[in-house]
Structures are given as C-alpha cells and as structure tokens.
Amino acid sequence: MVLSLNDKFVKKYVTNEEVNAISNEVYTAQSALFNRNGLGNDFLGWINLPFDYDKEEFERIKKAAKRIQNQCDIFVVIGIGGSYLGARAAIEFIKSPLYNNIKGKKTPDIYFTGNSISPSALSDLLKICEGKDICVNVVSKSGTTTEPAVAFRVFRELLEKKYGKEGAKERIFATTDKEKGTLKKFSDDNGYETFVVPDDVGGRFSVLTAVGLLPIAVTGIDLDKIMQGAQDAIRAFNTQDINENDCLKYVAIRNILYRKGKNIEILASYEPASQMLCEWWKQLFGESEGKDGKGIYPSSVIFSTDLHSLGQYIQDGERIMFETVLDIKKASDELIIPFDPFNVDKLNFLAGKDLDYVNHTAMLGTLFAHSDGNVPNIVLEIADRSEYSFGYLVYFFELACAISGYVLGVNPFNQPGVESYKKNMFALLGKEGYEDLANKLKNRMN
Ligand code: PA5
C-alpha cells in the first residue's frame, strides 16, 4: 500500500456511524466533481492530467532540463504561490532541503525567487549568482503578478548584460498561459522557449504541469515515476465506497471534525524534508476552502522540532484543532546511533538502533500524548519519499481538497480574496486606473 489512512487516533472523536452518515454528501461532492457540474468546473484540467498531459511538451521539458543542466551552475525559478510551491515541495521531499549542498551532484543549484517583495531576499540571491552561469525559469500563469514580474525584470537585465540579448534568450524559459497572457507575447517576441499552464488548471493544482515539472526535472528527478504515482492514485481513489476509499474517508473525517468546532487542521510531519510539502498543502487547502466565511484553517508543524515550541499549545491550549500526521514509513537514509563506552549521556540504551526507529517512536509517543490532550489525529501512512509516492500523495491531496471544498459548499477553484491586497497595493503605488481607490485609502489613513 503506497498510502493509507489510519483512523485509530481519531475514532474517539469520529465514529463509523458518523462517517457513514456524511457519506452521501461526500459522494454527491465527488460526483459533481467527476461529472463536471459543480462550482468552478472550468478548472478541472488537473483531474485527468496524469494521463492526459501533453506528451510532446513532456518530452520538451526533459530536453530543456538537460540543456539547463549543461548550461548553468544556478537555475533560478521565479514564481509565487502555485507557481513555485509544488516544484520546491517535490525537490525538498524527494531529494533534500539541502539539495544545493549535496556533495558531487552534477545538476545545477536551484533557487526560488519572486515569491516575496523583499529587497534583501532578491539582493542576497543576486550576490550568490555573481560569477556563476545562470538560467532562469519565469513561471506565471497570468503573467501579471507583481512579485515574479519584478524579479523577472531584475534577472532579465542581469542575463542580458552578462550574455547579451541573444545569449539571454537561450537561458530564459517561460512557463505561462498558452496564448493570451502578457508573458506569452513577451516571450515569443524575445524568442524564449515557452511551456504551458493549461487554461483549466489553477496555480495550486499545477505541480504536475510544466510549472512543477521543469524545475523538478532540472534536479534530475524522474518525472515518469511521479506521473506513474499520480496515475495510480487516480485509479485508487475514483471508487465510491467511503470504507474502501481513503481519500473520501479523509474528506469525511475532516468535515465531521470541522462541524464539531475543530477549525484548524495541522499537517504534522516528522521529516524536515516535508516542510515545503506542508507549505504547498497549506496553499492548496487554504486558497481552495477559505472563503465565504467558511473553511478549515490549514497549519503545519515539523516534529519533533515543533514539539519544543507549538507542541505545548497543541497538548494543552484551546481545543480547536485536529492533526493530520504524515507518517513516512521508510526513511531515505539509515543512521545507526553509535555506542559510547563511557555512556556519559546515558544513551547506550539506544546504541545500535536506527535513528528512524527513534523518530517513529517519538511519533507514537506524541500520538498517545495528543490523544490524551483531546486532539483528534488522522494518520496518513505513506510508503517513502520516492518520486512515485510524491506523485501519489499530490493527487490524493488535490482530489481530497476539491471534494472537501464541495462538501463545504464553496468553489474550491477561485481565489477572490487574493485580489484585495493587490488592488490596494496598486492604488497606493500609484498605478494608472486605481486613482479612486487610492483617494479612498488615503482618506482612511487620515
Ligand atoms: O493558486 C493560484 O492560482 C495562485 O496561488 C497563483 O498560483 C499565484 O497567485 C500566482 O499566479 P500567477 O501564476 O498568475 O503569477
């Protein structure tokens, strides 16, 4: 089994009867999604994407990745939200959060930028790039998002100065809308190779398109295995039996808990390489469900690290949350704890044991403790950190998120709330067309 839901630590809060009672709502939501007659149904391109992806482009992505590997020391990926989180999650989960420092690796370092407006973050990266060969992948479906657009302007200038206009065009790759957007036209006019974010795939559901796949391929990760994992997840989770389908069960349990006042879901992992996966998951669920005054607030922790910070609150604070624990069954590395003849630290009872055994024991101890502290815990057991498992897990969460959004009664595929800050920022920065709003905001400041 690649992924399975263990409900042992949630049974006290959610009974089988309750799961069966909500099952019709979950089936209705699942049918609306698969029959494409629910809210936001023009954004369902991700559902069959692991089978229906553009095969010609997929091969072009692999070729471009090889060229990038041969051409540069540093690969800069410019994008925000769904235009970078999935790629970064994949690289850290499958390879390592320390991928850039892996000794003897033959693939370029990778840096993600254009995901904030911090001058320090951008300046630091520019310093790192000094004297290095660089390639850039600008990723923006709309092509107009301010954060990546500003970073792209800066990197374009750098590349054109360093390599000339002709040289730069061999090093800039754009992933954007197929034909309409500003970035597409600009890229075509400048001769950059372009890749497509399909019209019917929203940013946070786009990791298995060129958005995620090009950066992932540059690090040497096997794309075919990721797609294989996602394909098998489609097969595994398209059935309509809540007791056999763990994706539906996850949807049911989290919605039952929400209705019982558990407004916060904490994704907990005992593997630091999952940190960006958690960030990706937070965006997926937060942007999809948090609207119309509704939605579970998605949060995350890495244990045992955060047991020494947020652990106190989870154990003992307000009882408003539940945890979804990602249990990675097989660690990517073995590390045996050494024997110390002096046993000064009194740790010889652990000597000869694999550190992963200790990590899993910490997990079990915490599950019992949090259960005693009245925190429901859903456990998602995933085989390992392979490409295959990553693809499988991504599809599991995307499907769960979409069905869950429908159970909640929201459109999981729009993000109207994201526009509010943008409009205010443009008005305050003096962008043309925003004069009235600028005046209103200025009056509010007085
Ligand atoms: O999920 C989404 O749609 C968003 O998070 C977008 O990915 C994000 O806002 C970036 O948009 P764009 O790719 O148009 O620059």
Side-chain angles (χ1 to χ4, degrees):
M1 195 57 132
V2 195
L3 187 150
S4 61
L5 187 151
N6 177 344
D7 58 6
K8 190 174 166 32
F9 290 92
V10 79
K11 275 206 165 342
K12 195 165 112 189
Y13 310 92
V14 177
T15 62
N16 286 344
E17 291 68 40
E18 285 171 311
V19 170
N20 287 329
I22 202 178
S23 63
N24 278 337
E25 281 181 65
V26 177
Y27 297 150
T28 306
Q30 185 196 27
S31 299
L33 188 74
F34 289 161
N35 295 332
R36 297 173 181 260
N37 55 15
L39 292 168
N41 58 9
D42 41 352
F43 280 97
L44 302 183
W46 57 273
I47 294 183
N48 281 321
L49 188 78
F51 286 112
D52 292 347
Y53 61 90
D54 178 340
K55 311 289 181 306
E56 181 275 325
E57 185 185 61
F58 194 72
E59 291 311 312
R60 212 156 49 78
I61 290 171
K62 289 182 185 169
K63 281 197 189 121
K66 285 258 172 308
R67 262 175 53 215
I68 293 165
Q69 286 170 350
N70 293 331
Q71 270 194 121
C72 67
D73 310 306
I74 293 182
F75 183 50
V76 176
V77 180
I78 299 173
I80 195 165
S83 289
Y84 93 104
L85 283 164
R88 192 162 171 195
I91 294 163
E92 296 202 4
F93 186 80
I94 298 165
K95 292 271 180 183
S96 164
L98 301 178
Y99 159 80
N100 284 350
N101 306 90
I102 294 172
K103 232 180 162 168
K105 82 172 160 49
K106 300 221 165 23
T107 47
D109 287 356
I110 189 158
Y111 287 95
F112 292 88
T113 190
N115 50 57
S116 79
I117 321 182
S118 155
S120 306
L122 197 50
S123 304
D124 286 349
L125 180 55
L126 290 169
K127 283 180 209 141
I128 291 171
C129 289
E130 272 170 27
K132 305 276 189 191
D133 274 319
I134 312 159
C135 285
V136 166
N137 180 202
V138 55
V139 188
S140 179
K141 184 174 182 184
S142 62
T144 54
T145 310
T146 312
E147 292 88 338
V150 170
F152 183 44
R153 197 181 257 227
V154 171
F155 270 94
R156 212 168 58 232
E157 186 191 62
L158 176 86
L159 262 68
E160 288 181 356
K161 273 197 185 137
K162 196 173 161 99
Y163 302 106
K165 242 185 159 3
E166 279 304 301
K169 82 176 195 206
E170 299 303 317
R171 292 172 175 275
I172 296 176
F173 300 81
T175 308
T176 188
D177 150 287
K178 194 170 182 180
E179 48 206 17
K180 313 189 281 276
T182 343
L183 182 58
K184 173 64 181 160
K185 183 169 179 340
F186 184 82
S187 302
D188 287 346
D189 290 349
N190 284 276
Y192 308 149
E193 179 160 11
T194 59
F195 297 96
V196 175
V197 193
D199 283 347
D200 55 358
V201 180
R204 56 192 174 274
F205 288 83
S206 71
V207 52
L208 301 179
T209 71
V211 171
L213 297 180
L214 180 61
I216 293 171
V218 169
T219 65
I221 288 172
D222 189 334
L223 299 187
D224 293 288
K225 288 186 183 155
I226 293 184
M227 296 311 257
Q228 182 69 54
Q231 287 170 1
D232 286 350
I234 293 185
R235 293 189 186 101
F237 301 122
N238 69 7
T239 59
Q240 205 164 70
D241 179 350
I242 212 147
N243 294 307
E244 294 297 321
N245 182 332
D246 281 344
C247 188
L248 299 186
K249 200 177 233 181
Y250 175 53
V251 171
I253 295 175
R254 64 194 298 280
N255 277 284
I256 293 167
L257 289 169
Y258 178 58
R259 290 173 191 182
K260 291 184 177 186
K262 304 293 180 191
N263 292 339
I264 297 172
E265 178 174 8
I266 305 174
L267 185 65
S269 171
Y270 287 73
E271 174 49 68
S274 317
Q275 181 125 36
M276 289 308 298
L277 181 76
C278 292
E279 295 303 317
W280 169 83
W281 175 89
K282 284 193 277 194
Q283 191 219 358
L284 180 67
F285 279 83
E287 243 179 35
S288 300
E289 290 192 319
K291 51 198 68 158
D292 308 336
K294 298 190 254 190
I296 299 171
Y297 181 83
S299 171
S300 71
V301 287
I302 296 294
F303 289 157
S304 66
T305 316
D306 291 326
L307 286 173
H308 298 258
S309 60
L310 287 174
Q312 171 59 39
Y313 192 105
I314 298 170
Q315 186 68 47
D316 244 357
E318 271 211 69
R319 305 296 72 191
I320 48 176
M321 81 284 277
F322 64 97
E323 286 173 275
T324 295
V325 179
L326 205 54
D327 175 9
I328 302 168
K329 296 313 269 182
K330 187 173 182 300
S332 301
D333 300 274
E334 187 187 68
L335 204 153
I336 303 297
I337 300 170
F339 177 78
D340 175 6
F342 302 104
N343 199 22
V344 242
D345 48 15
K346 303 273 185 292
L347 280 181
N348 272 354
F349 72 101
L350 293 177
K353 296 213 159 59
D354 188 346
L355 197 52
D356 193 46
Y357 161 76
V358 182
N359 202 17
H360 269 93
T361 311
M363 185 185 85
L364 191 58
T366 309
L367 281 168
F368 280 119
H370 288 182
S371 200
D372 293 343
N374 282 327
V375 183
N377 271 257
I378 303 168
V379 180
L380 293 178
E381 299 174 344
I382 178 92
D384 52 27
R385 284 165 50 203
S386 64
E387 282 102 332
Y388 180 86
S389 295
F390 178 81
Y392 200 97
L393 188 60
V394 157
Y395 194 83
F396 171 89
F397 278 136
E398 287 182 348
L399 189 60
C401 178
I403 299 175
S404 218
Y406 280 172
V407 171
L408 196 64
V410 299
N411 175 355
F413 306 110
N414 65 5
Q415 54 284 326
V418 179
E419 294 310 310
S420 310
Y421 99 92
K422 284 190 197 167
K423 280 190 219 142
N424 289 347
M425 179 177 75
F426 289 147
L428 294 168
L429 287 169
K431 189 172 176 176
E432 217 182 297
Y434 289 83
E435 294 78 5
D436 285 352
L437 181 57
N439 286 334
K440 279 188 197 141
L441 293 175
K442 278 177 196 150
N443 286 340
R444 276 171 64 184
M445 283 195 291
N446 293 331

